[in-house]
């Protein structure tokens, strides 16, 4: 329960940080635009403030450059507001990539932090559709992989054999990943910071990433609830896992406090959340691989879960490379280190588990496995992270 309280405090502090924005003067509808090469799309420019003196002339700046679209779109003519508060402009895509268009005016003060429009120009509509399909495939594969354990727990009315260390680390990791995806996808302030670092980049977080990470937290919470009501024997979270989780939470809490004082950007803070998720992803697989090696067996470790995880990781990486190709933005592959690392590490460990299951230990019987495993390691209540040195 202490971890839940800490996470609530952490979430409130993060929310305060992310909602600090300047007052908008000019708005675009839509505020972000995804088009294809050759496509022409109308955009409405609206004066948000009513207490302005007309006429007002608005010029446009492209990634901090005046009168230079760098070939991504056609040049947008200046517009003048005489008495109406809305004007329409047309955006025509000419080259794949990403562009930030910021209005400029000598009559009113405009903020580059909130007064802008994000434009993504894709090379191929067909590739864009394929990217969405690939994204939903790995979302489904990874999401389904949570349920065999939940169903098994319900059928047995027991969670004995499910390691609490793995579950505790898993829910912490997916919570961090959810924070990263939600604010990267929903916060225009965070997106502005991201594009400042990657001027022609494409946002590396899509809707299916947001849904997957939030669903993963939900699935972990359901499993935790099962642990509260079903037979769990003497199982508990080990001290090692508690220390690891505690250090990660304290690190994120301190980082969030530093971010509220503007000594750390919100984007960097979110990357810290993603690094914690990546760290947990790395360590949570190691004990299971070591256990299989010690037992010379994969008994009790679901190969179906591994195959689904392998499929998800493979399609996750495929989507990232397709995005980079369609928007001519290879830097975006490294714009989401968690997503890249998550895919790579899941594939590497899944290959190891597949080799263990189908090649190394496929001929061993249950009796042989028991002989090769010391008595203390047969205890199903032992934590996945041992407290021994």
């Amino acid at each position: 329960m202490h971890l839940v309280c800490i996470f609530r405090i952490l979430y409130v502090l993060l929310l305060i940080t992310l909602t600090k924005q300047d007052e908008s003067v000019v708005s675009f509808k839509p505020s972000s635009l995804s088009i294809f090469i050759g496509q022409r799309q109308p955009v409405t420019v609206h004066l948000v403030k009513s207490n302005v003196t007309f006429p007002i002339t608005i010029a446009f700046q492209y990634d901090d450059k005046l009168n230079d679209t760098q070939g991504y779109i056609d040049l947008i003519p200046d517009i003048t507001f005489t008495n109406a508060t809305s004007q329409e402009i047309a955006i025509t895509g000419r080259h794949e990539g990403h562009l930030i268009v910021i209005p400029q005016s000598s009559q009113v003060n405009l903020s580059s932090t909130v007064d802008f429009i994000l434009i993504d120009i894709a090379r191929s509509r067909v590739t864009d559709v394929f990217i969405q399909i690939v994204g939903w495939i790995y979302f489904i594969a990874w999401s389904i992989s949570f349920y065999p354990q939940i169903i098994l727990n319900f059928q047995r009315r027991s969670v004995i054999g499910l390691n609490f260390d793995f579950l505790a680390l898993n829910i912490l990791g997916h919570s961090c990943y959810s924070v990263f995806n939600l604010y990267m996808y929903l916060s225009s302030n965070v997106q502005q910071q991201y594009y400042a670092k990657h001027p022609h980049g494409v946002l590396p977080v899509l809707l299916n990433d947001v849904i997957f990470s939030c669903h993963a937290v939900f699935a972990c919470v359901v499993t935790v609830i099962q642990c509260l009501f079903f037979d769990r024997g003497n199982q508990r979270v080990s001290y090692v896992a508690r220390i690891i989780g505690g250090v990660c939470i304290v690190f994120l809490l301190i980082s969030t406090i530093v971010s509220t004082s503007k000594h750390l950007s919100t984007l960097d803070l979110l990357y810290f959340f993603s690094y914690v998720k990546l760290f947990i992803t790395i360590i949570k697989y190691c004990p299971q691989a070591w256990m299989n090696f010690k037992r010379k067996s994969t008994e009790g470790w679901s190969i179906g879960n591994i195959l689904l995880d392998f499929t998800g990781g493979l399609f996750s990486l495929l989507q990232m490379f397709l995005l980079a190709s369609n928007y001519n933005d290879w830097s975006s592959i490294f714009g989401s280190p968690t997503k890249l690392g998550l895919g790579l590490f899941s594939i590497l460990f899944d290959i190891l588990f597949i080799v263990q299951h189908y090649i190394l230990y496929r001929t061993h019987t249950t009796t042989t496995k028991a002989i090769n495993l010391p008595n203390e390691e047969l205890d199903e209540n032992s934590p996945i992270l041992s407290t021994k040195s």
Side-chain angles (χ1 to χ4, degrees), residues 120-136:
D120 294 321
I121 307 103
R123 178 182 303 166
S124 168
R125 187 187 300 269
V126 174
T127 304
D128 189 68
V129 172
F130 188 59
I131 287 171
Q132 300 299 322
I133 294 174
V134 168
W136 285 110

Side-chain angles (χ1 to χ4, degrees), residues 333-353:
I333 293 179
F334 304 100
S336 177
T338 300
K339 188 175 179 180
L340 177 62
L342 198 61
L344 285 174
F345 279 106
S346 65
I347 286 177
L348 290 175
F349 276 100
D350 289 339
I351 291 175
L352 173 60
F353 290 131

Side-chain angles (χ1 to χ4, degrees), residues 279-344:
F279 168 70
I280 290 176
T281 299
I282 295 172
I283 66 172
K284 74 177 183 180
Y285 285 111
C286 295
Q288 184 65 54
W290 178 251
M291 180 185 295
N292 293 346
F293 171 75
K294 295 287 287 184
R295 297 170 61 212
K296 299 296 185 291
S297 167
T298 58
E299 183 78 14
W301 182 243
S302 173
I303 193 62
N305 172 52
I306 295 303
L307 294 176
L308 284 170
D309 195 58
F310 178 78
T311 301
L314 193 63
F315 276 89
S316 174
L317 291 180
L318 176 61
Q319 186 195 59
M320 294 189 72
F321 280 94
L322 287 173
L323 274 169
S325 174
N326 203 33
Y327 289 90
N328 192 29
D329 176 31
W330 297 100
S331 65
S332 66
I333 293 179
F334 304 100
S336 177
T338 300
K339 188 175 179 180
L340 177 62
L342 198 61
L344 285 174

Side-chain angles (χ1 to χ4, degrees), residues 178-229:
S178 295
V179 171
F180 175 83
N181 284 335
L182 277 169
Y183 287 106
M184 183 70 81
Y185 187 79
L186 297 176
S187 172
S188 59
N189 183 34
V190 173
Q191 292 173 8
Q192 178 74 1
Q193 294 179 31
Y194 173 81
Y195 289 128
K197 286 191 174 182
H198 307 276
H200 304 299
V202 57
L203 197 67
V205 174
L206 301 179
L207 177 60
N208 54 276
D209 298 312
V210 177
I211 296 177
F212 163 74
S213 56
C214 292
H215 171 265
V217 174
F218 166 77
C220 289
V221 169
V222 170
T223 311
V224 169
I225 294 174
Q226 289 182 322
C227 294
L228 296 177
F229 292 97

